[in-house]
Amino acid sequence: MTRIITCIVTLAVQLISTNSFSFAPVQVRVKQSSLSVIVDTNSLLLHANNSPDWGLLLANNSPDWGLLEGRIGSCLHPAAMISMFGLSVSTGLKGFKWRRQRTIGQEISDLKKTLAPVAEGEALSSADSATTKQISEFTTERKTLASENNREKHYESGVLLAAIGTFFAIEGPLNTYARAGKLFPGPHLYAGAGLVCLWAAAAACVPQMQKGSETARTLHIGLNAVGTGLFAWQIYTGYPILMKVVELTKFP
């Protein structure tokens, strides 16, 4: 609670445009090139040049975050993102199945056009027999795909992935900042930021896809393919971080 109050007080100081402001039990004085924040009970004395050192602020005033501060809370991000990677792959497979269901009808029509006219009682040629067998197989495949309801499942999984994935992609850095007082820029952090951008761009293609745009569909597939690769890289770069978190945190 101390940290939250301190952050609010410091933020308020930055918004003050007058030369002085006081309100018991907190006294604030602002000068042109520096600021001083004094909180009663001597809980915080912060001097910063133009803006507060938020890392120092959090590091020196660490409240009790309960489970969120321990190993369980710190492992929420990796556990959720690993689950989201599995959901991402599953969503992609459902999408390809729905695409197959949409396009297989055209293949069946094209095959039917290659069949030679046959008089009643006349046997099919070997080529036509093979084509007829293939048409039957494609028809069965289309019925099977239609029964799986892949269109709705793909959409619902995509929405869930975007919502939960984005939430925990932001929660991870916030958890790190709350515990360590700073972030650690590197491949893992950049991959996560890029992944969220790719999710947003892929989702933006949906309205045009619903209107039948093949360009939007191709772009949607490409963005998600790149995103899945980036997701795998994020997990790879996140493993050493997870081991460090496990080493430095305690249950619960």
Side-chain angles (χ1 to χ4, degrees), residues 129-207:
S129 295
T131 301
T132 301
K133 181 180 179 181
Q134 191 173 14
I135 291 174
S136 178
E137 291 174 351
F138 282 174
T139 301
T140 301
E141 182 183 358
R142 182 169 61 176
K143 290 180 179 178
T144 301
L145 290 172
S147 67
E148 294 176 355
N149 201 22
N150 287 297
R151 181 177 183 274
E152 285 72 19
K153 289 180 179 179
H154 174 68
Y155 180 80
E156 291 169 358
S157 296
V159 170
L160 195 64
L161 176 64
I164 299 179
T166 300
F167 175 84
F168 278 101
I170 297 173
E171 181 274 339
L174 288 178
N175 180 274
T176 299
Y177 195 75
R179 289 184 294 102
K182 61 180 179 179
L183 295 179
F184 302 91
H188 183 71
L189 184 63
Y190 299 144
L195 179 59
V196 172
C197 292
L198 289 172
W199 282 342
C205 296
V206 173

Side-chain angles (χ1 to χ4, degrees), residues 28-105:
V28 180
R29 294 188 181 89
V30 182
K31 298 181 180 179
Q32 291 182 349
S33 60
S34 65
L35 62 87
S36 300
V37 181
I38 304 174
V39 181
D40 68 327
T41 69
N42 204 22
S43 61
L44 171 66
L45 177 60
L46 172 66
H47 296 278
N49 187 15
N50 296 325
S51 63
D53 185 342
W54 295 97
L56 181 61
L57 175 67
L58 294 174
N60 291 339
N61 294 271
S62 179
D64 182 11
W65 292 94
L67 290 177
L68 295 178
E69 194 174 43
R71 185 172 298 174
I72 294 177
S74 300
C75 289
L76 283 177
H77 173 77
M81 297 310 283
I82 290 174
S83 300
M84 290 302 100
F85 179 74
L87 181 61
S88 177
V89 174
S90 175
T91 302
L93 292 175
K94 291 183 179 70
F96 278 115
K97 286 183 176 182
W98 163 236
R99 183 179 179 85
R100 176 61 176 164
Q101 181 184 335
R102 287 190 304 101
T103 59
I104 198 172

Side-chain angles (χ1 to χ4, degrees), residues 104-114 135 138 142:
I104 198 172
Q106 185 60 48
E107 294 183 32
I108 293 174
S109 298
D110 292 341
L111 286 173
K112 287 181 177 179
K113 293 177 182 178
T114 65
I135 291 174
F138 282 174
R142 182 169 61 176

